[in-house]
């Protein structure tokens, strides 16, 4: 059974993986199994329960691995606070994000560590990702840049840098930390905006992550998230006297609202919407191979 107390280790792991959990439901076990199936094995996993009420952690009781700790205090503090808690507890040289309902491909950790160790200038790296549905079907492909210059080329647009797959040096995370209370569903974009000019980001040019997009869009939440991040951008750029960036951020907000409205109408009218081109369907066999290996591996 997984321990809820700090285990005794003879040496510190190279990597700490943080997984804050709040009512993860049926997806938690698959997320944890995807960490256990990593080809890189020198890690610790901190599962920090944020006051869940769904008993999803009971699905992990048969997993016996001293590298996994469950931490819970019965409180609901929010994602940003729990990530900072994991940052404080981390014993690894590197620190990785992992969400409660996503899936890491087996080579994710090894590829990211190779990239970080190969270029000491890098602070945080991510990977290519697919999007998956509630029933584990591929729904899209997140095509993102891999160099710092391209990732940060248009900060007024935000950053295409899949946050659930981040890995970076623990020193960087401890220096910058997450803002608390976390801004509404955009704590990672806020952190990137605040740090990009003094940091260096990169990404593995390979799909190594499955990002779950659950059910139909909550348009109220989407709108509030867009507005929250715009305000963060606006005041950040005004404070730096980058007035043209603030104007561009306002223009981007208008375009996104118009696009969201179109998609909302399509959803209400139940028109089909496909986020992948036909040529992207070649990624599906690899995903199902990973899924089967994660569920049925040793």
């Amino acid at each position: 059974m997984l321990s809820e107390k700090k285990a005794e280790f003879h040496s510190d792991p190279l990597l700490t993986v943080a997984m804050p959990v709040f009512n993860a439901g049926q997806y938690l076990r698959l997320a944890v199994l995807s960490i256990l199936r990593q080809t890189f094995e020198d890690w610790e996993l901190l599962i920090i329960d944020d006051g869940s009420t769904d008993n999803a952690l009971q699905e992990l009781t048969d997993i016996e691995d001293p590298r996994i700790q469950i931490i819970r205090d019965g409180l609901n503090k929010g994602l940003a606070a729990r990530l900072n808690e994991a940052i404080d507890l981390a014993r690894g040289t590197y620190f990785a994000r992992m969400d409660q309902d996503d899936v890491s491909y087996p080579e994710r950790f090894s590829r990211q560590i190779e990239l970080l160790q190969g270029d000491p200038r890098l602070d945080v790296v991510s990977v290519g990702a697919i999007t998956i549905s509630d029933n584990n079907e591929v729904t899209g492909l997140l095509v993102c840049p891999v160099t710092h210059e391209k990732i940060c080329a248009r900060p007024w647009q935000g950053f295409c840098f899949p946050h659930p797959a981040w890995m970076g040096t623990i020193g960087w995370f401890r220096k910058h930390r997450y803002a608390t209370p976390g801004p509404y569903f955009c704590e990672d974009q806020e952190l990137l905006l605040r740090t990009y000019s003094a940091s260096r980001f990169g990404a593995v040019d390979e799909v190594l992550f499955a990002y779950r997009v659950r059910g139909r869009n909550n348009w109220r939440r989407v709108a509030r998230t867009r507005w929250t991040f715009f305000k963060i951008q606006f005041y950040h750029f005004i404070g730096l006297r980058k007035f043209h960036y603030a104007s561009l951020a306002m223009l981007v907000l208008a375009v996104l609202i118009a696009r969201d409205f179109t998609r909302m109408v399509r959803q209400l009218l139940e028109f089909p919407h496909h986020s992948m081109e036909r040529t992207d369907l070649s990624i599906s066999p690899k995903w199902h191979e990973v899924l089967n290996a994660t569920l049925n591996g040793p």
Side-chain angles (χ1 to χ4, degrees), residues 138-156:
V138 177
T139 59
L141 177 64
L142 298 178
V143 181
C144 296
V146 298
T147 66
H148 177 82
E149 290 74 20
K150 291 183 177 180
I151 292 168
C152 305
R154 299 179 180 87
W156 57 87

Side-chain angles (χ1 to χ4, degrees), residues 74 99 148 257 261-262 298:
D99 279 359
H148 177 82
I257 289 175
F261 179 77
T262 301

Side-chain angles (χ1 to χ4, degrees), residues 88-140:
D88 292 335
L89 293 171
R91 297 182 301 119
T93 302
Y94 300 110
F95 181 85
R97 286 280 313 270
M98 181 65 196
D99 279 359
Q100 63 187 19
D101 55 358
D102 297 332
V103 181
S104 290
Y105 284 30
E107 302 84 8
R108 175 198 161 189
F109 290 171
S110 61
R111 296 282 197 276
Q112 288 182 293
I113 286 176
E114 285 174 7
L115 184 58
L116 286 165
Q117 292 182 333
D119 186 351
R121 299 174 302 166
L122 289 171
D123 295 300
V124 183
V125 300
S126 192
V127 299
I130 59 171
T131 58
I132 57 174
S133 66
D134 290 332
N135 60 355
N136 295 324
E137 292 301 321
V138 177
T139 59

Side-chain angles (χ1 to χ4, degrees), residues 127-194:
V127 299
I130 59 171
T131 58
I132 57 174
S133 66
D134 290 332
N135 60 355
N136 295 324
E137 292 301 321
V138 177
T139 59
L141 177 64
L142 298 178
V143 181
C144 296
V146 298
T147 66
H148 177 82
E149 290 74 20
K150 291 183 177 180
I151 292 168
C152 305
R154 299 179 180 87
W156 57 87
Q157 281 187 324
F159 303 85
C160 185
F161 197 53
H163 65 270
W166 285 4
M167 181 188 293
T169 62
I170 189 60
W172 185 88
F173 281 97
R174 285 180 174 156
K175 177 180 180 181
H176 299 291
R177 303 177 67 80
Y178 283 86
T180 52
Y184 188 79
F185 282 96
C186 54
E187 51 276 302
D188 299 287
Q189 287 289 311
E190 186 278 335
L191 179 56
L192 292 175
L193 181 65
R194 176 162 40 95

